[in-house]
Amino acid sequence: MSSPLQAIRGMNDVLPEEMALWRSFGGIVETCLERWGYRAIRMPQVEQTALFRRAIGEATDIVEKEMYSWRDELNNEELTLRPEGTASCVRAAIEHSLVYDGPKRLWYGGPMYRHERPQKGRYREFYQYGAEAFGYPGPDVDAELIVMCARLWPELGLSGLRLELNTIGSAEERARHRADLVAHLRAHEGKLDADAKRRLQTNPLRVLDSKNPIVQEVAAKAPPLMNYLGEGSLAHFEGLKKLLAGAGIEFAVNPRLVRGLDYYNLTVFEWITDALGAQGTVCGGGRYDGLFAQLGGKPTPGVGFAMGCERLVALMKDSGKAPAAPRPDAYLLHQGEGAADHAFALADALRSAGHAVVLHAGGGSFKSQMKKADASGAWLALVVGEDELRAGEVSVKMLRKSAEQQRVARARAVEQFNAFLQKAKE
Ligand code: HAM
């Protein structure tokens, strides 16, 4: 016998029991996004590698070591499984001139791929819901996106998520800060770990969000980027904070929050939980006013976020308020010469009338079929046995709150079904 194959490390099966929670999560998130005026868009899961290199930045963890990239010899193309959605969404907006007639609010959901070291809450295939707003320069839409999240969490039954906020100014402001930051880090190079030393060369701002406490100590004394921001950047940040305060949203300004993708400017934010261990960021985002031009489009401001579905679903599961798996309305048993055909027709008619009906398959005694009906979670068992066949009837047995049993003419079973179902649920 050949040995069984397994799923790829860091890529998860979601089994039927858990799908109920995932679908409920998805329904709540999508309804919320639509209610706030965001419209769905879907982009491919594979793009040209150059898109992510240009958008996310060469000196980022994602581009340096986490992308699933390969050469498609059939077309002679360098391709990559998308590690995130913003780059694709902006590419699509440019390609289809989505903002030619004004700003757009968009949302997407789906799998993303990063070759990270798997651990709880960190996977190589993971799902995101993302929202992106194109063409809005002011802090009002930054605030809108953040408030939308704040309103979504309780709808998902979640509490205890905290908001961290920062501004990283413009590229010019960061360039002026960079010189002083590098000088400071150089002066303390002895305390930097290998990662920080490498970042010092390639992307010094990222040293600020090192998890290493000794590096953090050095970072804490670095010249604050905030001191290098001009009036426009400061006004944007103040505007955002005012709008958040007005909406009653609590936040902490974290000057070390810089995020791991290079396209950001001005606003960056993260929603964080302490309930999931090291992978506590459930949602992250910010502004990326330079990305359209960087990808060859007309300069257009952008701002958005993406939430990690696995992490949010895990929180929902822990909250104990996860919805129960859906039950079929009825499980249809059948036994005896010709019963299968009648049962098939009845199940077909009931489903056409909108009911969820599981038709028994695979034979077996009445007793074993009844056990399966019970295990299916159905509200009702419908029986077409020899007696019923002879009488042109079907037996209806309530399986949950009541154990009542009745017989009804098969011809009238569909029209009376709702009444039985109602009774079974009482
Ligand atoms: P990101 O911070 O890289 O941002 O990812 C957003 C969220 O996706 C994270 O906060 C986390 O919840 C989840 N996530 C990321 N990597 C993993 C992983 N390996 N396993 C499980 N969950 C993960 C972005 O992707 C940006 N595109 C967000 C954005 C949209 N910024 C502006 N617009």
Side-chain angles (χ1 to χ4, degrees), residues 45-301:
Q45 284 160 53
V46 176
E47 298 267 5
Q48 293 192 50
T49 302
L51 173 67
F52 302 115
R53 288 187 167 279
R54 262 208 252 172
I56 299 169
E58 296 285 349
T60 57
D61 285 348
I62 295 179
V63 170
E64 277 179 355
K65 53 189 185 201
E66 294 172 359
M67 293 206 302
Y68 284 90
S69 300
W70 70 97
R71 178 173 196 79
D72 177 357
E73 300 289 353
L74 299 176
N75 285 326
N76 215 12
E77 285 175 313
E78 301 291 337
L79 302 179
T80 292
L81 276 176
R82 64 179 182 193
E84 61 109 43
T86 309
S88 310
C89 199
V90 171
R91 195 264 312 134
I94 296 169
E95 190 168 333
H96 304 286
S97 308
L98 288 186
V99 286
Y100 86 99
D101 60 346
K104 290 285 169 320
R105 293 175 168 92
L106 303 169
W107 71 264
Y108 53 83
M112 308 291 162
Y113 300 85
R114 296 183 194 175
H115 199 278
E116 298 194 76
R117 196 168 47 77
Q119 64 180 79
K120 184 173 175 244
R122 189 164 73 193
Y123 308 104
R124 289 179 173 171
E125 180 187 72
F126 60 96
Y127 280 68
Q128 281 186 346
Y129 274 112
E132 315 286 358
F134 298 152
Y136 303 94
D140 50 342
V141 178
D142 307 25
E144 170 182 290
L145 286 155
I146 292 172
V147 176
M148 173 161 64
C149 292
R151 303 297 179 243
L152 172 64
W153 308 140
E155 287 179 38
L156 294 169
L158 305 181
S159 56
L161 292 169
R162 60 172 203 278
L163 173 63
E164 290 194 357
L165 196 63
N166 193 19
T167 177
I168 58 166
S170 68
E172 300 74 44
E173 288 157 352
R174 280 196 304 283
R176 284 198 286 120
H177 169 252
R178 186 184 162 120
D180 292 349
L181 174 64
V182 168
H184 170 81
L185 295 174
R186 284 249 156 79
H188 298 87
E189 204 159 349
K191 289 188 177 162
L192 301 185
D193 58 18
D195 205 43
K197 277 185 188 148
R198 203 169 46 81
R199 287 274 175 250
L200 177 55
Q201 310 291 338
T202 57
N203 199 348
L205 203 57
R206 287 281 289 155
V207 176
L208 297 185
D209 77 349
S210 165
K211 299 268 180 320
N212 180 336
I214 301 169
V215 178
Q216 273 181 14
E217 236 175 73
V218 177
K221 296 204 185 92
L225 175 55
M226 201 71 85
N227 295 357
Y228 296 74
L229 301 190
E231 243 172 67
S233 295
L234 289 172
H236 189 99
F237 197 44
E238 288 310 312
L240 171 59
K241 288 195 289 185
K242 200 163 154 229
L243 287 163
L244 292 180
I249 311 288
E250 283 179 33
F251 58 86
V253 175
N254 175 2
R256 294 201 357 259
L257 180 70
V258 295
R259 310 252 317 125
L261 304 100
D262 277 356
Y263 48 60
Y264 292 113
N265 69 305
L266 296 174
T267 312
V268 288
F269 62 91
E270 287 186 349
W271 286 95
I272 302 167
T273 172
D274 294 321
L276 290 177
Q279 305 306 320
T281 305
V282 295
C283 176
R287 187 161 273 283
Y288 45 88
D289 295 332
L291 189 54
F292 271 75
Q294 215 171 304
L295 296 179
K298 193 169 130 258
T300 306

